[in-house]
Amino acid sequence: MKTKTILEKFGDNVREIRKSKGFSQEQLSFKADLHRTYIGMIERAEKNITLSNIEKIAKALEVEISELLK
Amino acid sequence: MKTKTILEKFGDNVREIRKSKGFSQEQLSFKADLHRTYIGMIERAEKNITLSNIEKIAKALEVEISELLK
């Protein structure tokens, strides 16, 4: 089984936690002050996210950043 | 006292751990396969580092990414 890249792990964690909290991508993008398409690209590991945007998403999901990196 | 931004916290942690391991910026940049000036800019919080570069620096310093985000 191919090991996941850090971007894939991050994207999967964002999607999983977002869904567990009942947010749509649109709701998360509004809370995180990021564009909805950007959230989709992050979840599909199509973007190399920056640290300040990682913090925005973690705050919007109300989790520690480390939660998103497991 | 002004609270540090996530980029400042990250930069300070990289500098502190790098020094505790006795690495110069040049040695860290070589180990992390990043440019020396980039390491300096990260330590001064002048760059919004990406997740894949965060991983490179954590691996080069042999620490968990969460160590660099405390």
Side-chain angles (χ1 to χ4, degrees):
Chain A
M1 208 184 82
K2 188 176 86 60
T3 38
K4 285 190 205 167
T5 66
I6 186 92
L7 298 181
E8 287 165 341
K9 273 186 252 177
F10 183 84
D12 291 349
N13 287 328
V14 168
R15 182 183 299 114
E16 197 183 301
I17 295 171
R18 171 175 64 75
K19 287 184 173 177
S20 73
K21 299 205 171 207
F23 293 151
S24 65
Q25 284 184 346
E26 194 151 15
Q27 288 167 316
L28 175 56
S29 68
F30 187 74
K31 264 192 97 176
D33 188 30
L34 294 167
H35 201 277
R36 187 185 57 73
T37 52
Y38 181 79
I39 298 290
M41 294 173 85
I42 291 302
E43 290 189 353
R44 294 187 301 273
E46 291 169 2
K47 273 267 180 194
N48 192 0
I49 189 168
T50 61
L51 184 50
S52 48
N53 283 347
I54 288 170
E55 184 180 44
K56 280 184 173 181
I57 289 177
K59 278 184 177 167
L61 291 172
E62 293 164 15
V63 294
E64 289 298 318
I65 292 177
S66 49
E67 286 290 308
L68 299 174
L69 298 172
K70 281 191 290 189
Chain B
M1 208 186 84
K2 186 177 88 60
T3 38
K4 285 188 204 168
T5 67
I6 186 94
L7 297 181
E8 287 165 340
K9 272 187 257 178
F10 183 84
D12 291 349
N13 286 329
V14 169
R15 182 183 302 114
E16 197 184 303
I17 296 171
R18 171 176 64 78
K19 286 184 173 177
S20 73
K21 299 204 172 207
F23 294 150
S24 66
Q25 284 184 345
E26 194 150 17
Q27 287 166 317
L28 175 57
S29 69
F30 188 74
K31 266 193 97 178
D33 188 29
L34 294 167
H35 202 275
R36 187 183 59 72
T37 52
Y38 182 80
I39 297 291
M41 293 172 86
I42 291 302
E43 291 188 355
R44 293 187 302 273
E46 292 169 1
K47 273 267 179 191
N48 192 1
I49 189 167
T50 62
L51 184 50
S52 47
N53 282 347
I54 288 170
E55 184 180 45
K56 280 185 172 182
I57 289 178
K59 279 184 176 168
L61 291 173
E62 295 163 13
V63 294
E64 289 298 318
I65 291 178
S66 48
E67 284 292 307
L68 298 175
L69 297 173
K70 281 190 289 187

Coordinates of all heavy atoms in Angstrom, one line a residue, chain A residues 5-7 9-10 48-55 65-66 69, chain B residues 5-7 9-10 48-55 65-66 69:
Chain A
T5 N 1.3 10.9 1.3 CA 2.1 12.1 1.5 C 1.5 12.9 2.7 O 0.4 12.7 3.0 CB 2.1 13.0 0.3 OG1 0.8 13.5 0.1 CG2 2.6 12.2 -1.0
I6 N 2.3 13.8 3.2 CA 1.9 14.7 4.3 C 0.6 15.5 3.8 O -0.3 15.7 4.6 CB 3.0 15.6 4.8 CG1 2.6 16.4 6.0 CG2 3.5 16.6 3.7 CD1 2.9 15.8 7.3
L7 N 0.6 15.9 2.5 CA -0.5 16.7 2.0 C -1.8 15.8 1.9 O -2.9 16.3 2.2 CB -0.2 17.3 0.6 CG 1.0 18.2 0.6 CD1 1.2 18.7 -0.8 CD2 0.8 19.4 1.5
K9 N -2.4 13.2 3.9 CA -2.8 12.9 5.3 C -3.6 14.1 5.8 O -4.6 14.0 6.4 CB -1.6 12.7 6.2 CG -1.1 11.3 6.2 CD 0.0 11.1 7.3 CE 1.3 10.9 6.6 NZ 2.4 10.8 7.6
F10 N -3.0 15.3 5.5 CA -3.6 16.6 6.0 C -5.0 16.7 5.3 O -6.0 16.9 6.0 CB -2.8 17.8 5.6 CG -3.3 19.1 6.1 CD1 -3.0 19.5 7.4 CD2 -4.1 19.9 5.3 CE1 -3.6 20.7 7.9 CE2 -4.6 21.1 5.8 CZ -4.3 21.5 7.0
N48 N -0.2 22.8 -1.9 CA 0.8 22.7 -0.8 C 0.5 23.9 0.2 O 1.0 25.0 0.1 CB 2.2 22.9 -1.4 CG 3.3 22.5 -0.4 OD1 3.0 22.1 0.8 ND2 4.5 22.6 -0.8
I49 N -0.4 23.6 1.1 CA -0.9 24.6 2.0 C 0.2 25.3 2.9 O 1.2 24.6 3.2 CB -2.0 23.9 3.0 CG1 -2.7 25.0 3.8 CG2 -1.4 22.9 3.9 CD1 -4.0 24.6 4.4
T50 N 0.0 26.5 3.2 CA 0.9 27.3 4.0 C 0.6 27.2 5.4 O -0.6 26.9 5.8 CB 1.0 28.8 3.6 OG1 -0.3 29.3 3.8 CG2 1.4 29.0 2.1
L51 N 1.5 27.5 6.3 CA 1.3 27.4 7.7 C 0.2 28.3 8.2 O -0.6 27.9 9.1 CB 2.6 27.7 8.5 CG 2.6 27.5 10.0 CD1 2.1 26.2 10.4 CD2 4.1 27.7 10.6
S52 N 0.1 29.5 7.7 CA -0.9 30.4 8.2 C -2.3 29.9 7.8 O -3.3 30.0 8.6 CB -0.7 31.9 7.7 OG -0.5 31.9 6.4
N53 N -2.4 29.3 6.6 CA -3.7 28.7 6.2 C -4.0 27.4 7.0 O -5.2 27.1 7.3 CB -3.8 28.4 4.7 CG -4.0 29.7 4.0 OD1 -4.4 30.8 4.6 ND2 -3.8 29.7 2.7
I54 N -3.0 26.7 7.4 CA -3.2 25.5 8.3 C -3.8 26.0 9.6 O -4.7 25.4 10.1 CB -1.8 24.8 8.5 CG1 -1.3 24.1 7.3 CG2 -1.9 23.8 9.7 CD1 0.1 23.6 7.4
E55 N -3.3 27.1 10.1 CA -3.8 27.6 11.4 C -5.2 28.0 11.2 O -6.1 27.7 12.1 CB -2.9 28.8 11.9 CG -3.3 29.3 13.2 CD -2.5 30.5 13.7 OE1 -2.3 31.4 12.9 OE2 -2.1 30.5 14.9
I65 N -3.5 22.0 15.6 CA -2.9 21.7 14.3 C -2.4 20.2 14.2 O -2.6 19.5 13.2 CB -1.8 22.7 14.0 CG1 -2.3 24.1 13.7 CG2 -1.0 22.2 12.8 CD1 -1.2 25.2 13.5
S66 N -1.8 19.8 15.3 CA -1.3 18.4 15.3 C -2.4 17.3 15.0 O -2.0 16.3 14.4 CB -0.7 18.1 16.7 OG -1.6 18.4 17.7
L69 N -2.4 16.6 11.4 CA -1.1 16.1 10.8 C -0.9 14.6 11.2 O 0.2 14.1 10.8 CB 0.1 17.0 11.3 CG 0.0 18.4 10.9 CD1 1.2 19.2 11.6 CD2 0.2 18.6 9.4
Chain B
T5 N 3.0 35.3 16.3 CA 2.2 34.7 15.2 C 2.7 33.2 15.1 O 3.8 32.9 15.6 CB 2.5 35.3 13.8 OG1 3.9 35.1 13.5 CG2 2.2 36.8 13.9
I6 N 1.9 32.4 14.4 CA 2.3 31.0 14.2 C 3.7 30.9 13.5 O 4.5 30.1 13.8 CB 1.2 30.2 13.5 CG1 1.5 28.7 13.4 CG2 1.0 30.7 12.1 CD1 0.9 27.9 14.5
L7 N 3.9 31.8 12.6 CA 5.2 31.8 11.8 C 6.3 32.2 12.7 O 7.4 31.6 12.6 CB 5.1 32.8 10.6 CG 4.0 32.5 9.6 CD1 4.0 33.6 8.4 CD2 4.2 31.1 9.0
K9 N 6.4 31.7 16.0 CA 6.6 30.5 16.9 C 7.4 29.5 16.2 O 8.4 28.9 16.7 CB 5.3 30.0 17.3 CG 4.7 30.6 18.6 CD 3.4 29.9 19.0 CE 2.2 30.6 18.7 NZ 0.9 30.0 19.1
F10 N 7.0 29.2 14.9 CA 7.7 28.1 14.1 C 9.1 28.5 13.9 O 10.0 27.7 14.2 CB 7.0 28.0 12.8 CG 7.5 26.9 11.9 CD1 7.1 25.6 12.1 CD2 8.5 27.1 11.0 CE1 7.7 24.5 11.3 CE2 9.1 26.1 10.2 CZ 8.6 24.8 10.4
N48 N 6.0 32.4 4.6 CA 4.9 31.6 5.0 C 5.1 30.2 4.5 O 4.7 29.8 3.4 CB 3.6 32.2 4.4 CG 2.3 31.6 5.0 OD1 2.4 30.7 5.9 ND2 1.2 32.0 4.6
I49 N 5.8 29.4 5.3 CA 6.3 28.1 4.9 C 5.1 27.2 4.5 O 4.1 27.2 5.1 CB 7.2 27.5 6.0 CG1 7.9 26.2 5.6 CG2 6.3 27.2 7.3 CD1 9.0 25.7 6.5
T50 N 5.4 26.3 3.6 CA 4.4 25.3 3.1 C 4.6 24.0 3.9 O 5.6 23.7 4.5 CB 4.6 25.0 1.6 OG1 5.9 24.4 1.5 CG2 4.4 26.2 0.8
L51 N 3.5 23.2 3.9 CA 3.5 22.0 4.7 C 4.6 21.0 4.3 O 5.2 20.4 5.1 CB 2.1 21.3 4.5 CG 1.9 20.0 5.4 CD1 2.2 20.2 6.9 CD2 0.4 19.6 5.2
S52 N 4.9 20.9 3.0 CA 5.9 20.0 2.6 C 7.3 20.4 3.0 O 8.1 19.6 3.4 CB 5.9 19.7 1.1 OG 5.8 20.9 0.4
N53 N 7.5 21.7 3.1 CA 8.8 22.2 3.6 C 8.9 22.1 5.1 O 9.9 21.9 5.7 CB 9.1 23.7 3.2 CG 9.5 23.7 1.7 OD1 9.9 22.7 1.1 ND2 9.5 24.9 1.1
I54 N 7.7 22.2 5.8 CA 7.7 22.0 7.2 C 8.1 20.6 7.5 O 8.9 20.3 8.4 CB 6.2 22.2 7.8 CG1 5.9 23.7 7.8 CG2 6.1 21.6 9.2 CD1 4.4 24.0 8.1
E55 N 7.6 19.6 6.7 CA 8.0 18.2 6.9 C 9.5 18.0 6.7 O 10.2 17.3 7.4 CB 7.2 17.3 5.9 CG 7.5 15.8 6.1 CD 6.7 14.9 5.2 OE1 6.6 15.2 4.0 OE2 6.1 13.9 5.7
I65 N 6.6 17.2 13.7 CA 6.2 18.5 13.3 C 5.6 19.3 14.5 O 5.8 20.5 14.6 CB 5.2 18.4 12.1 CG1 5.9 17.9 10.8 CG2 4.5 19.8 11.8 CD1 5.0 17.7 9.6
S66 N 4.8 18.6 15.3 CA 4.1 19.2 16.4 C 5.1 19.9 17.3 O 4.8 21.0 18.0 CB 3.3 18.2 17.2 OG 4.0 17.1 17.5
L69 N 5.6 23.4 16.4 CA 4.4 24.3 16.3 C 4.0 24.7 17.8 O 3.0 25.4 17.9 CB 3.3 23.6 15.7 CG 3.5 23.2 14.2 CD1 2.4 22.4 13.7 CD2 3.6 24.5 13.3

